Amino acid sequence: MEKYYQPEIECASREQIRAWQSERLKKQVQNVWDNVPMYRERMKESGVEPGDIQSVDDLHKLPFITKDDLRDNYPFGLMARPKSECVRIQSTSGTTGRRVVAFYTQHDLDLWEECCARALVAAGATKEDVCQVSYGYGLFTGGPGLNGGSHKVGCLTLPMSSGNTDRQIQFMTDLGTTIICCTPSYAAYLAESIIERGVRDQVHLKAGIFGAEAWTEEMRHDIEEKLGLKAYDIYGLTEISGPGVSFECSEQTGMHVNEDHFIPEVINPITGEVLPDGEKGELVFTSITKEAFPLMRYRTRDICILSREKCSCGRTHVKMTKPLGRSDDMLIVKGVNVFPSQIETVLMNKGYPANYQIIVDRVNNSDTIEVQVEMTAEMFSDSLSAVSSKEKELVDALKAMLGIYAKVKLVNPKAIQRSEGKAVRVIDKRNLYQQ
Amino acid sequence: MTVKQISVFLENKPGRLAEFTDVLSEHNIDMRALSLAEAADFGIVRIIVNDVYNASTVLKDAGYIFSITKVLAVEIPDEPGSLSRTVRILGDNGVNLEYMYAFTTRKKGLAYMILRVEDNQKAIEVLTASGIRPICQDELAEL
């Protein structure tokens, strides 16, 4: 039997959902017009006024916003409520100077946690369950989001955070964890560690909620088989709220978007034209219920397909595919957003040539990133320690910029292939996006 | 009283050293000495050749990254204890030795040490004072 956290919402008629969306969108447009100068300016530039938005059909009239707008307005520029009404800040797993911060009122936290609760219940969670949250806690939204959702459902919540695999497994076996929330790569690592330690028979997991990075169907089957659970995908982004923007149901054929809070659109990333359901394009979200940090037509850069076909689970909310790629060049490595331009900046600052290549791979279920840099006469000397210390300096600078360790490999000049047109900067050997 | 050493950057990849030595042999470059230092992902080949100008032109044309460093080449008796004596002189006089390697020639009873030190001038002084003579580039060519 399929279970729902809020059946009256999750299984509402399409007409009802549309009605909610239209009413909330109108209110939200007025709210941002009144309270966020950037939205008012942008709307004026596009010749749109709040009165022009009468229903969800008018959504396409609003201008898009991008991550650059968020950065340009850092930190408080896009707040629609005074600071005194906000109770929480979360931030993207980004880097120095490129961080994006999102604000939440208590109402915003509640709706976010409700979305996570819907995902947990769709995965079979009840108040009888022990839910181990092994996403990172802190500024990262993974831990706090699922933690809150787990409380709403009434699960006995284990706020483990990430890392310390020995302790994770001990708590899992001692306390009888039935639901685990973490990144899919950590789930795969946990599975192997559990089998290695010979404690597989003491593990009683029934479901896992795995998000924050791309994973394949093969990985899903592998984790399900090794841990004896059903693996559910979950999607979200800090800008919009965090995990739980959409989530998988028992059918496991896409993620239901919580449409009563977030209106999804798929657009042609070049022209900005809205595409019909079933067509592949860039996902755009409008958060119609958020108070502190509402985003209107926010371009996620994730490529996906929307589908409104009837789902066997009974939910009526639109489904999105897993992200099929990116419309920009962002990489997600160990759950951290990495832009090649950040790496380029470090190389230029350190006097290296702009000819470089980034190799991303997954070794033993853990992402690796290697930056190949061509050696230059200026960097070179006869002393091994001098060259090694320059290499180390570069590693440290990359770590400071990206927030994760990137291996540096010095290669022969001209070793990196020159291309006539667009340089191949990134080789992602993980093949995470199934086309 | 110094000789020129050519240090070449080599990626740590199978075949890279062979490619390098092929380039030298194709251009008839005779090496007096060679040493290899390796880090995890790259190596530095250090060579002593007769004709530094020719060798560096060849390497440049072949696209190698290299540097030329003045190092000391000292002639010592090819017998136990003579190296020890040499490095002790440097140590006792506070000359820091970064690396060194050895080679022999057709000259019987003699060995040659390539010494890379922080301060060439001081090393020459203290070695000469103890009767150990660094040779110069021209002498090297005649060995």
Side-chain angles (χ1 to χ4, degrees):
Chain A
M1 250 304 272
E2 189 78 25
K3 292 229 168 53
Y4 314 98
Y5 180 65
Q6 290 162 312
E8 70 292 351
I9 297 171
E10 295 175 64
C11 304
S13 70
R14 289 299 317 166
E15 295 70 41
Q16 178 62 70
I17 294 170
R18 254 185 73 86
W20 281 329
Q21 288 182 334
S22 293
E23 177 207 326
R24 291 169 188 181
L25 175 65
K26 273 169 66 178
K27 261 175 74 182
Q28 190 70 292
V29 170
Q30 189 64 53
N31 174 34
V32 298
W33 174 273
D34 291 341
N35 296 309
V36 187
M38 187 199 81
Y39 281 116
R40 184 192 285 249
E41 278 164 34
R42 290 289 174 84
M43 284 172 66
K44 280 182 176 166
E45 282 166 23
S46 307
V48 192
E49 289 192 358
D52 297 328
I53 311 298
Q54 286 304 316
S55 78
V56 67
D57 292 333
D58 299 320
L59 181 59
H60 68 96
K61 294 175 184 166
L62 293 172
F64 294 114
I65 63 161
T66 65
K67 202 167 200 154
D68 285 338
D69 295 319
L70 269 52
R71 291 195 188 106
D72 292 347
N73 287 281
Y74 174 90
F76 301 121
L78 291 178
M79 277 173 94
R81 289 290 162 101
K83 253 190 290 179
S84 58
E85 285 183 35
C86 297
V87 297
R88 176 85 68 79
I89 292 172
Q90 303 283 165
S91 178
T92 57
S93 46
T95 57
T96 334
R98 297 187 71 120
R99 273 194 183 281
V100 166
V101 290
F103 301 87
Y104 303 75
T105 61
Q106 186 55 51
H107 160 272
D108 295 338
L109 286 182
D110 284 336
L111 79 85
W112 173 27
E113 290 172 359
E114 270 171 25
C115 289
C116 289
R118 290 181 197 174
L120 280 157
V121 172
T126 68
K127 59 196 277 298
E128 308 301 326
D129 282 298
V130 177
C131 178
Q132 184 162 342
V133 181
S134 307
Y135 283 113
Y137 279 64
L139 286 170
F140 179 55
T141 51
L146 270 309
N147 189 87
S150 176
H151 277 230
K152 290 247 189 268
V153 176
C155 302
L156 178 53
T157 309
L158 259 167
M160 293 297 294
S161 198
S162 50
N164 200 340
T165 303
D166 278 325
R167 197 179 58 189
Q168 298 271 2
I169 295 172
Q170 193 192 340
F171 273 59
M172 188 180 287
T173 52
D174 291 356
L175 302 174
T177 300
T178 49
I179 293 177
I180 174 97
C181 307
C182 62
T183 60
S185 53
Y186 193 60
Y189 180 72
L190 269 179
E192 274 172 20
S193 306
I194 286 165
I195 291 164
E196 259 171 38
R197 286 165 177 71
V199 293
R200 173 63 187 83
D201 58 340
Q202 297 166 48
V203 167
H204 306 289
L205 293 168
K206 66 177 192 189
I209 295 186
F210 305 131
E213 63 187 20
W215 48 315
T216 59
E217 279 306 309
E218 289 72 36
M219 211 166 152
R220 187 208 296 268
H221 294 144
D222 186 54
I223 297 168
E224 287 187 333
E225 197 184 322
K226 286 192 176 137
L227 287 177
L229 50 68
K230 193 156 174 173
Y232 295 85
D233 203 352
I234 188 166
Y235 173 89
L237 54 174
T238 307
E239 299 92 309
I240 296 299
S241 68
V245 171
S246 68
F247 61 93
E248 242 176 10
C249 62
S250 56
E251 210 182 84
Q252 294 183 320
T253 56
M255 296 174 275
H256 290 282
V257 178
N258 284 311
E259 276 187 280
D260 51 324
H261 297 300
F262 317 110
I263 305 179
E265 297 169 278
V266 162
I267 62 159
N268 176 324
I270 297 154
T271 63
E273 172 204 2
V274 178
L275 301 174
D277 289 350
E279 279 194 35
K280 192 160 93 175
E282 184 182 327
L283 187 60
V284 172
F285 278 112
T286 299
S287 44
I288 47 176
T289 49
K290 291 267 297 275
E291 292 179 341
F293 199 67
L295 294 188
M296 311 303 285
R297 301 198 88 199
Y298 178 68
R299 295 184 59 162
T300 64
R301 304 292 173 187
D302 281 327
I303 300 290
C304 80
I305 302 170
L306 293 179
S307 156
R308 262 169 253 265
E309 272 170 40
K310 205 169 158 41
C311 186
S312 65
C313 78
R315 286 178 185 79
T316 48
H317 291 223
V318 65
K319 282 203 283 195
M320 58 176 271
T321 58
K322 275 175 188 295
L324 306 168
R326 297 274 306 173
S327 71
D328 61 7
D329 54 1
M330 188 182 89
L331 295 160
I332 302 178
V333 182
K334 295 178 185 168
V336 173
N337 300 345
V338 174
F339 288 93
S341 58
Q342 296 173 293
I343 291 172
E344 191 166 317
T345 304
V346 173
L347 292 176
M348 302 299 258
N349 288 345
K350 291 274 165 198
Y352 286 89
N355 209 43
Y356 61 92
Q357 206 157 47
I358 301 163
I359 317 269
V360 185
D361 206 348
R362 189 164 279 174
V363 180
N364 295 328
N365 295 310
S366 180
D367 290 339
T368 61
I369 178 163
E370 177 180 291
V371 182
Q372 296 195 347
V373 191
E374 286 182 0
M375 195 63 185
T376 64
E378 295 73 43
M379 293 296 147
F380 186 62
S381 89
D382 68 309
S383 158
L384 194 66
S385 59
V387 179
S388 294
S389 82
K390 286 220 174 82
E391 191 182 13
K392 167 94 178 22
E393 248 177 55
L394 185 54
V395 168
D396 292 345
L398 285 169
K399 173 107 202 253
M401 174 64 101
L402 306 176
I404 53 168
Y405 166 75
K407 184 186 157 138
V408 166
K409 183 162 194 225
L410 299 168
V411 299
N412 276 349
K414 309 262 175 356
I416 294 166
Q417 218 182 340
R418 265 61 171 171
S419 72
E420 297 291 315
K422 203 169 168 244
V424 182
R425 289 278 176 245
V426 178
I427 297 176
D428 195 335
K429 297 181 171 172
R430 297 174 298 180
N431 288 321
L432 292 173
Y433 296 122
Q434 295 158 325
Q435 298 296 330
Chain B
M1 297 291 261
T2 56
V3 299
K4 283 174 176 163
Q5 166 190 269
I6 304 179
S7 311
V8 187
F9 173 80
L10 282 188
E11 231 179 293
N12 193 359
K13 240 183 181 177
R16 283 284 184 265
L17 188 58
E19 276 170 25
F20 170 73
T21 50
D22 283 350
V23 169
L24 296 183
S25 73
E26 276 161 27
H27 293 85
N28 271 325
I29 292 167
D30 196 12
M31 280 183 284
R32 288 280 155 208
L34 175 148
S35 104
L36 190 58
E38 88 279 1
D41 288 309
F42 66 93
I44 299 176
V45 185
R46 302 170 182 133
I47 55 171
I48 301 291
V49 296
N50 289 349
D51 189 342
V52 176
Y53 178 76
N54 181 36
S56 54
T57 310
V58 165
L59 289 173
K60 194 163 187 204
D61 290 348
Y64 282 97
I65 294 284
F66 61 92
S67 68
I68 294 174
T69 322
K70 285 181 178 170
V71 294
L72 300 182
V74 297
E75 192 179 80
I76 58 171
D78 187 6
E79 63 189 29
S82 70
L83 173 62
S84 180
R85 190 171 152 252
T86 312
V87 293
R88 190 170 308 115
I89 291 165
L90 295 175
D92 288 349
N93 288 282
V95 177
N96 199 16
L97 187 59
E98 254 182 72
Y99 57 82
M100 64 174 191
Y101 49 103
F103 67 103
T104 57
T105 66
R106 283 172 285 260
K107 279 196 178 179
K108 247 193 138 91
L110 289 174
Y112 295 84
M113 295 303 305
I114 299 292
L115 306 172
R116 168 75 158 106
V117 294
E118 265 173 18
D119 185 345
N120 274 338
Q121 209 44 53
K122 187 167 182 199
I124 291 168
E125 276 167 28
V126 300
L127 288 171
T128 314
S130 307
I132 297 169
R133 194 177 65 88
I135 61 173
C136 63
Q137 193 76 34
D138 293 340
E139 286 173 90
L140 184 84
E142 283 156 23
L143 292 175

